[in-house]
């Protein structure tokens, strides 16, 4: 009886530990403690950004002095939401900063009036900043997205695509394969992308929120049809995705943008241009 109890406790502990490891691999330290995850909101989940297009839409309207509003929800490591509410009112931007649901925050609601909002982009970072604000802080960063691949311990990916996924870009095994569509495949071994090329690809992945939950469709009513497989290895974790060319959903289109960035880099390299031309239909 005692052995059974001990075994049961051991299994429970192992399950808890594995669950904790899973959270670290996916990059999520804390889960949301609020049901505020609306599509109209920009969600910042520990650097993984959802609905970034809403932010760009707000910036565009603010520049034109059009009526607009957006809510940015930042989640703390404990899973508590902190809110930035931005509203265009005439020639001013009114920002409300709400920390009342943050267990370790100040528990205050602060309001500022600002002259403008700026979107600043570089190869490694995207910042949204309100400027000319009332109060002591004249400039306030309301959202930042970092995508510096050099700051990662490890970044690699495996992309397979096309009919039967015979095309492959594999930085893990350092391999490139081109489907000649006649039964043959042209292969390059010891294939390596430059750091700048990896930076461009990593940036596209982060801006497409590749670590977020994706609803992807693998089914397709066309025959034949292309399918896609993407595995991303980041630091000690990894994520895998599969979808088909028939996936026209928001997530499917976001993943397609990543694939297009990778393909554009690959086909414009000299080593790819030296491969045999496609011979089949």
């Amino acid at each position: 009886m005692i052995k059974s109890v001990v075994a049961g406790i051991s299994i429970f502990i192992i399950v808890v530990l594995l669950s904790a490891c899973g959270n670290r691999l996916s990059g999520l330290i804390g889960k949301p403690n609020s049901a505020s995850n609306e599509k109209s909101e920009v969600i910042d989940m520990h650097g993984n950004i959802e609905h970034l297009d809403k932010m760009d839409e707000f910036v565009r309207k603010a520049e034109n002095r059009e009526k607009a509003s957006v809510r940015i929800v930042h989640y703390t490591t404990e899973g508590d939401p902190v809110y930035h509410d931005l509203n265009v009112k005439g020639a001013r931007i009114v920002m409300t900063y709400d920390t009342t649901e943050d267990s370790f925050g100040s528990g205050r609601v602060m309001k500022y009036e600002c002259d403008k909002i700026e979107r600043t982009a570089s190869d490694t970072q995207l910042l949204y900043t309100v400027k000319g604000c009332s109060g002591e802080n004249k400039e306030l960063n309301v959202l930042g997205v970092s995508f510096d691949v050099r700051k990662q311990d490890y970044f690699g990916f495996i992309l397979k695509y096309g009919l039967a996924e015979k095309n492959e870009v594999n930085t893990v095994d350092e391999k490139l394969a081109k489907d000649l569509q006649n039964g043959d495949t042209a292969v390059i071994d010891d294939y390596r992308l430059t750091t700048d090329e990896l930076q461009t690809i990593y940036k596209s992945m982060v801006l497409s929120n590749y670590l977020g939950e994706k609803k992807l469709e693998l089914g397709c009513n066309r025959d034949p049809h292309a399918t896609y497989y993407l595995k991303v290895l980041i630091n000690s974790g990894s994520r895998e995705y599969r979808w088909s060319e028939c996936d026209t959903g928001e997530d499917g289109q976001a993943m397609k943008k990543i694939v297009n960035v990778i393909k554009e880099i690959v086909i414009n390299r000299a080593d790819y241009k030296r491969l045999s031309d496609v011979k089949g239909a």
Side-chain angles (χ1 to χ4, degrees), residues 5 27 35 43 118 122 144 153 160 166 175 204 224 236 256 267:
V5 172
I43 309 297
E118 286 188 357
S122 70
D153 293 332
K160 298 180 181 181
K166 290 183 179 180
K175 171 188 173 184
S204 72
S236 60
K256 185 177 180 180
I267 66 177

Side-chain angles (χ1 to χ4, degrees), residues 18 23 38 72 83-84 151 153 195 201 210 256:
L18 287 175
N23 281 341
E38 299 289 340
I72 309 163
Y83 305 100
H84 278 104
K151 291 184 177 180
D153 293 332
T195 301
I201 293 168
Y210 76 106
K256 185 177 180 180

